[in-house]
Amino acid sequence: MASDVDTAPLVGRADQLTALRSALLDDLGPGQTAAVFLSGESGVGKTRLLHEVGARLRDAGAVVLTGSCLDIGDASPLHPVLQALRRFDGELTSTQARTSSAVRGLLRMFAEETAAPDGAGALLERVSRGLGLIAEGRPLVLVLDDLQWVDRSTRQLLLYLLAGLGDLQLSVLAAVRAESLQGAHPLRRVLTELRRLRSVRVLDLAPLDRADTDRLAAAIAGASLTPEAAEQVWQRSGGNPFVVEELARDLRDGRDGLSDTLREIFLARVDALPQHAHAVVHAVAVGVEPVEHWLLAEVLGLPEQELIEAVRAAVAHRLLVGVDEGYRLRHRLVAEVLAHELLPAERSALHRRYAEALTRAPAELHQARLAHHWRLAGEPGLALPAAMAAAREAERLHGFAEAHRHWSAALDLAAAPAAGPAAPAPVRVDRAVLLEHAAETAHQCGEHARALHLLEELAGGVDAGPSCALRIRRARYLAAAGRSAPAEAEYTGVLESADCTPRERASAAARLAELLLHLGRYAEAGRRAREALDLAAAVDGSTTEVVLASSALGFSEAFLEDPDAGLAVVRRALEIAERAGRPEDVACAYLHLAELLTGPLNILEEGVVVARRGAERVAELGLGRTYETRLLAIATNGLFRVGQWAEAEKVVAAALRHRPSGADAVELLLARCRLSVGYGDVEASDRDLEAVATVLAGGGARHVLPMLILRAGLAMWQGRHDVARQAVQRGLTESRSDDVMLLATLAWHGLRAEAEAHASRTVPVDETAVRRLRDVVDKVARKSAHAARPVRLGAEGFLVLCAAELSRLDGRGDPELWARSAAEWDRRHHPYPAAYSRLRQAEALLARRSRSTTAAKLLRRAYEMAQGLGAVPLTSEIRTLAGRARVALEERPPSAAGRLARRAEPAGGELSVLTAREREVLAAVAEGLTNKEIGQRLFISERTIGVHVSHIFDKLQVRTRVQASAIHLRNRAD
């Protein structure tokens, strides 16, 4: 089952290629022999590997003879050797007459000697001498394919040659199908004996892993596969390269279904099985893998010994594999092939036997499989209660995606007529209950559009119109889908309705406060939160409302009034949520705490730690696709701001594996886009911004400003100052946010765009836009003056940037303002704006033709910082200015791990696993400082230092500060 070597690249076999060359050539001396027998299932790539190894050995100077065995037994003695000699002779040129003469002499000798019945020993000796003449002192490699069909004469020749008689340096490389070596196959005994020789290796060639499967499929298809297609190829192929290639070609050519080639190959393998093994494979193909041994015995009704022998035969033929829990198909493709071979009645009967066997087992362990088999047996009445039980069990374990699948199946089963001959009376289930559960689990697993659709169906069945509870639920789903405006309208409607209960109004007020918080309307969020707490005080058991309202209130207070008091309220909300244990409450509390720390309070390192710890916690609670992705987006943004871009990229890549939707996806796309804009990856940035704009077309005001800020930043690096201006002006028009940090960022981007336009002289400065931006800067200054101190300090950095950009608009930038800006951002440990400010300070000094030495130092420092980040556009602009000013810059080698210029990891050593901040903390620990003293030195809270120390212990695998200090001192000495 060879692949098409002309079009299919060799993937995932680099280690084997190196090992084979070493075993067959590099490690051998004159007169020594070696052999490697490649074993593996059909299609795993044995023939292709033989071809590649033979070519490399030939390039290295070896004489390579290649032949294949025939499936006709001993009827054609020495066929592969004869074929190899003829092929080799045909490849020789006229200048190799001596070698050609030796080859033809050996072929004539074969023709003469094979007719003599008693000349075997002499034949083998003469063959050895003839091969020596052909090799002419060079290494000789005999490559044989399909060795499972080898004839007796060739087996004898191989054994004689490998005995190492004479001075011929000989290697044998042969491939054999593992599934063919069954029972008393003669080659099986030969290989068993040869394994005992140190010069002989039997290498079992495994299928490709997931990454190499994706690479091979993409190479065949001509482009990367969609995640769905890649997953399907992986599941169907099991990593078998031949199957991967066939499936990828079908995808490339737009063919549906299974190719005839694959179908016939697998059918032939199944048909070759003994009768009982044939039944075993069919039964496992119909079952839910892995199929336990006891269950297979119940379904087939075979005596124990006969069942074991049948399973052993199926495993030996490489159709089944044994796992701890039972058996599964080596390739799921076999199930697809066999699905068309069973009659409908046969398939239904197998499913019925599975269901009956599972019914006799402990029911709570098998409800999902029980529902599956009863449904396919044509018994929806029996499948429905099992599906509902499986859904409830999945909900209990926080498996919301699985629960949603089961509730959806229950909806279908409730509508299906009973079809079995002895169908029970249909189970009476209120469809509204099923819709309610299906909608809620869809929301919890991130399928927000699906949740809204189910909710609409549920509301359509209510004659008196949607209840307050339904309206609250709809608002939750709308907010999660990124449609904040209709969500706000629904919550407000509930609060204004006289028909709603105090509990419902408390819920609406708390959730509205949370929504307003995300929209940046902190004052309104605080008022709604207080309203919710007042309403909840009169209602028993309103934990969710208390958690949501407390989180929103604490955030509002921390931003507008007292940071410490507000932070304490949010921490207390998390404690309440953890005690109550409701997953969504815990997730919301973690989200607000992480946002508060990384946002207004600017305690970035602790905020990143909280976000990542919260992500792990909510993943345990089954909210990986929703809240975990949001928390990881917060962690990504925090890491971006402190300059740990490579780590941020790893975090966002891990989060994207959840394939989030709605607002969750937008948060993550924006986080990734910040990295792409910083790196200067225009294509990736545009792609993410387009995706965000598409999602936000249905609403989502909370994400509009961040999207427009990124659009402006990208446009400026592209020199499209008019596009940047339009994005900023749109943001000023649509903004209703109280978030002075967001407004200040937007104003800086606007003034920077006008300053860039002024400097480039390609686009006229828009004086109206500048006046409007000055007004925004004044507004931010007024608002931040009354905000909490951390917010005021955070806004101050952007206000200085704005003032410095305005000085550029006057024609010559103010170096003092840029120096102040660099100092502000250094103090906050934000390297990107600090490097940008140094660039502009140097530019302003050079424009005044003064202090060129200072300008050179500033450019070198800015260049070092930008290179360390991997900020390609900023690095390029610094390099351009340095070139004009004739300032020499020190180039740093880019990290091999980065997709662009990327911060290199620390060079080796035990401390390379630590981040820069963790190494600072470890140095202070080695000095004998307490956590409190370290916090005072590094301007970090004692709590955060404790987290850093814990991470250091984990990474260095130590238990005490003394052990950690010893490692630090040892590496410092090195």
Side-chain angles (χ1 to χ4, degrees):
M1 196 187 297
S3 302
D4 182 356
V5 295
D6 294 327
T7 58
L10 186 68
V11 171
R13 303 303 189 198
D15 291 344
Q16 288 91 338
L17 282 170
T18 302
L20 289 171
R21 172 177 170 133
S22 177
L24 298 171
L25 186 62
D26 297 340
D27 296 342
L28 293 186
Q32 292 183 321
T33 63
V36 177
F37 295 92
L38 291 178
S39 173
E41 65 183 13
S42 299
V44 80
K46 301 182 297 297
T47 301
R48 179 64 192 282
L49 194 55
L50 293 183
H51 175 86
E52 291 289 337
V53 173
R56 295 193 180 200
L57 294 177
R58 191 177 293 111
D59 292 342
V63 175
V64 180
L65 305 178
T66 304
S68 300
C69 302
L70 293 179
D71 188 15
I72 53 176
D74 294 335
S76 181
L78 294 171
H79 170 80
V81 179
L82 291 168
Q83 182 190 52
L85 289 169
R86 293 189 186 105
R87 284 178 175 173
F88 184 66
D89 187 42
E91 295 168 357
L92 294 174
T93 64
S94 58
T95 60
Q96 298 169 300
R98 182 177 174 180
T99 304
S100 180
S101 176
V103 171
R104 290 172 184 174
L106 190 54
L107 287 170
R108 282 195 301 272
M109 184 269 296
F110 274 131
E112 295 167 1
E113 293 288 343
T114 51
D118 56 351
L123 171 66
L124 296 176
E125 185 178 350
R126 292 180 66 184
V127 168
S128 179
R129 287 201 303 269
L131 291 174
L133 291 173
I134 293 169
E136 296 182 302
R138 293 176 292 170
L140 180 69
V141 182
L142 185 58
V143 178
L144 301 177
D145 200 4
D146 286 324
L147 198 67
Q148 69 277 359
W149 296 325
V150 67
D151 59 273
R152 187 165 63 92
S153 299
T154 304
R155 288 200 308 273
Q156 291 177 340
L157 177 61
L158 288 177
L159 291 173
Y160 180 86
L161 294 174
L162 290 175
L165 303 176
D167 59 357
L168 179 66
Q169 182 181 329
L170 174 77
S171 301
V172 175
L173 174 61
V176 55
R177 292 185 187 177
E179 65 266 26
S180 300
L181 301 181
Q182 305 303 319
H185 195 292
L187 185 60
R188 186 179 181 184
R189 295 195 300 273
V190 171
L191 289 177
T192 301
E193 292 299 320
L194 288 175
R195 278 179 186 267
R196 299 175 183 176
L197 302 176
R198 285 188 299 176
S199 60
V200 176
R201 293 176 57 190
V202 178
L203 178 61
D204 192 8
L205 199 59
L208 303 177
D209 61 19
R210 174 61 190 271
D212 287 331
T213 297
D214 289 350
R215 285 176 54 209
L216 177 58
I220 296 295
S224 296
L225 273 59
T226 64
E228 295 83 359
E231 178 66 21
Q232 186 182 49
V233 168
W234 169 248
Q235 292 296 335
R236 297 171 85 190
S237 70
N240 183 288
F242 175 79
V243 181
V244 172
E245 291 171 24
E246 288 292 311
L247 294 173
R249 288 190 183 98
D250 287 344
L251 286 170
R252 180 192 64 195
D253 300 337
R255 289 194 295 268
D256 293 328
L258 199 60
S259 71
D260 292 338
T261 303
L262 285 176
R263 188 180 304 281
E264 292 304 319
I265 287 170
F266 282 112
L267 279 177
R269 290 176 62 183
V270 174
D271 290 343
L273 291 170
Q275 179 183 359
H276 290 328
H278 191 275
V280 163
V281 172
H282 274 84
V284 174
V286 169
V288 177
E289 297 180 354
V291 176
E292 296 89 337
H293 184 81
W294 69 265
L295 183 56
L296 194 60
E298 290 268 348
V299 170
L300 293 177
L302 290 173
E304 180 68 7
Q305 190 56 41
E306 290 184 24
L307 177 60
I308 290 174
E309 291 175 0
V311 169
R312 189 180 297 278
V315 170
H317 280 76
R318 299 296 181 104
L319 288 165
L320 281 191
V321 292
V323 292
D324 291 340
E325 302 90 346
Y327 313 108
R328 62 175 176 83
L329 295 171
R330 184 175 287 271
H331 305 289
R332 279 305 301 168
L333 211 57
V334 175
E336 294 183 47
V337 172
L338 296 183
H340 299 284
E341 298 304 308
L342 288 174
L343 296 172
E346 290 178 296
R347 227 175 9 253
S348 178
L350 273 173
H351 283 297
R352 180 174 293 276
R353 291 205 293 274
Y354 268 113
E356 290 170 347
L358 290 168
T359 301
R360 294 190 290 272
E364 65 275 7
L365 300 179
H366 308 292
Q367 292 293 355
R369 284 198 287 175
L370 192 58
H372 169 78
H373 288 300
W374 276 131
R375 178 175 62 83
L376 294 178
E379 298 288 3
L382 294 171
L384 177 56
M388 294 173 65
R392 292 193 179 95
E393 179 64 10
E395 283 184 326
R396 186 182 70 80
L397 298 173
H398 310 305
F400 297 114
E402 292 78 7
H404 176 59
R405 284 198 294 272
H406 292 316
W407 286 119
S408 297
L411 279 168
D412 295 336
L413 291 167
V427 178
R428 296 290 181 184
V429 178
D430 187 351
R431 185 171 177 79
V433 173
L434 298 179
L435 285 168
E436 184 177 339
H437 281 286
E440 184 62 18
T441 51
H443 164 68
Q444 289 171 322
C445 72
E447 294 287 350
H448 306 303
R450 169 73 172 157
L452 285 166
H453 173 75
L454 291 167
L455 200 64
E456 291 301 323
E457 184 180 347
L458 178 60
V462 180
D463 295 334
S467 64
C468 293
L470 275 179
R471 295 183 69 181
I472 292 172
R473 181 172 291 194
R474 181 171 185 271
R476 288 172 54 219
Y477 299 171
L478 285 167
R483 299 166 61 185
S484 51
E488 183 180 353
E490 284 284 12
Y491 286 136
T492 304
V494 171
L495 287 168
E496 294 173 351
S497 173
D499 297 330
C500 298
T501 65
R503 176 65 176 273
E504 289 167 338
R505 294 176 63 219
S507 178
R511 294 186 183 282
L512 178 55
E514 181 194 18
L515 177 61
L516 292 169
L517 195 66
H518 288 305
L519 293 173
R521 291 151 61 183
Y522 302 126
E524 286 183 73
R527 287 195 295 272
R528 290 297 188 182
R530 290 185 180 89
E531 180 183 357
L533 289 171
D534 291 341
L535 289 166
V539 181
D540 292 332
S542 55
T543 303
T544 296
E545 289 73 19
V546 170
V547 169
L548 294 178
S550 297
S551 296
L553 180 60
F555 199 112
S556 175
E557 286 184 352
F559 189 92
L560 299 172
E561 301 171 17
D562 187 338
D564 293 334
L567 182 59
V569 172
V570 178
R571 292 192 192 280
R572 192 158 56 247
L574 177 57
E575 293 171 2
I576 295 170
E578 286 284 17
R579 282 199 300 272
R582 186 173 178 273
E584 202 164 1
D585 293 347
V586 174
C588 283
Y590 263 115
L591 188 68
H592 291 312
L593 180 57
E595 284 183 328
L596 181 59
L597 290 168
T598 58
L601 300 188
N602 200 40
I603 310 175
L604 292 176
E605 287 165 317
E606 184 177 352
V608 170
V609 170
V610 167
R612 298 180 84 164
R613 186 172 65 225
E616 293 175 3
R617 178 72 177 108
V618 301
E620 296 171 359
L621 298 174
L623 298 173
R625 192 179 175 200
T626 53
Y627 284 96
E628 184 188 359
T629 58
R630 281 181 156 185
L631 284 161
L632 291 179
I634 292 171
T636 301
N637 291 331
L639 290 167
F640 174 84
R641 290 167 64 190
V642 296
Q644 296 184 30
W645 290 10
E647 181 66 18
E649 196 168 7
K650 293 176 187 175
V651 172
V652 80
L656 281 167
R657 285 198 288 268
H658 291 299
R659 296 170 59 205
S661 65
D664 309 317
V666 171
E667 299 277 4
L668 212 52
L669 290 171
L670 288 172
R672 185 171 69 176
C673 188
R674 287 184 184 90
L675 287 165
S676 298
V677 170
Y679 285 135
D681 191 338
V682 174
E683 183 179 349
S685 303
D686 273 330
R687 186 169 57 245
D688 284 342
L689 287 171
E690 287 301 316
V692 169
T694 301
V695 176
L696 297 186
R702 60 178 282 201
H703 301 113
V704 170
L705 278 187
M707 178 189 72
L708 293 173
I709 290 170
L710 287 170
R711 175 64 72 190
L714 179 64
M716 276 185 278
W717 286 132
Q718 295 175 290
R720 301 165 64 192
H721 311 304
D722 53 337
V723 174
R725 175 188 295 153
Q726 291 168 11
V728 171
Q729 293 304 312
R730 180 186 161 195
L732 295 177
T733 302
E734 298 185 10
S735 172
R736 293 176 56 197
S737 175
D738 290 335
D739 193 332
V740 293
M741 299 289 290
L742 210 53
L743 287 174
T745 308
L746 186 68
W748 170 47
H749 278 69
L751 289 169
R752 181 181 157 201
E754 298 300 334
E756 297 284 351
H758 174 76
S760 68
R761 294 181 171 83
T762 56
V763 179
V765 173
D766 187 335
E767 296 298 339
T768 303
V770 172
R771 282 196 299 274
R772 190 176 183 189
L773 288 165
R774 286 180 184 272
D775 291 341
V776 173
V777 170
D778 292 341
K779 177 182 176 182
V780 169
R782 288 194 304 273
K783 281 195 168 188
S784 61
H786 301 290
R789 185 172 182 274
V791 178
R792 189 165 64 252
L793 293 175
E796 209 170 278
F798 284 104
L799 290 174
V800 175
L801 273 173
C802 290
E805 296 289 4
L806 283 167
S807 76
R808 289 178 73 198
L809 284 168
D810 295 337
R812 296 171 69 182
D814 186 341
E816 296 303 321
L817 281 173
W818 287 116
R820 182 182 163 198
S821 176
E824 289 284 344
W825 293 110
D826 280 340
R827 189 156 56 92
R828 291 166 176 76
H829 302 290
H830 290 191
Y832 186 83
Y836 174 80
S837 298
R838 284 185 170 86
L839 164 66
R840 296 300 173 215
Q841 184 186 357
E843 183 182 56
L845 288 171
L846 292 170
R848 296 185 177 192
R849 302 183 185 278
S850 62
R851 289 184 283 181
S852 58
T853 303
T854 303
K857 290 179 180 178
L858 290 167
L859 285 172
R860 292 189 185 104
R861 178 60 180 144
Y863 193 64
E864 179 188 357
M865 297 171 75
Q867 267 200 315
L869 293 171
V872 173
L874 181 57
T875 302
S876 177
E877 188 163 348
I878 296 168
R879 192 185 295 117
T880 299
L881 180 60
R884 291 203 307 265
R886 298 182 181 180
V887 173
L889 299 174
E890 182 180 350
E891 295 291 341
R892 294 177 53 183
S895 168
R899 57 175 178 169
L900 297 167
R902 192 73 55 84
R903 187 184 188 93
E905 294 293 330
E910 295 168 284
L911 303 185
S912 64
V913 296
L914 304 181
T915 65
R917 177 62 87 184
E918 286 167 348
R919 287 194 292 276
E920 287 182 332
V921 172
L922 178 58
V925 168
E927 291 180 34
L929 301 183
T930 66
N931 285 2
K932 183 176 181 179
E933 291 169 337
I934 298 172
Q936 291 171 346
R937 173 184 288 187
L938 299 180
F939 305 102
I940 307 175
S941 72
E942 183 178 355
R943 180 191 183 101
T944 303
I945 294 297
V947 173
H948 282 311
V949 171
S950 176
H951 285 178
I952 290 168
F953 284 7
D954 288 342
K955 291 180 179 181
L956 297 182
Q957 297 183 356
V958 298
R959 294 183 179 180
T960 68
R961 298 168 84 93
V962 173
Q963 292 171 332
S965 299
I967 292 176
H968 169 78
L969 295 172
R970 180 166 64 242
N971 280 267
R972 190 174 66 177
D974 294 342

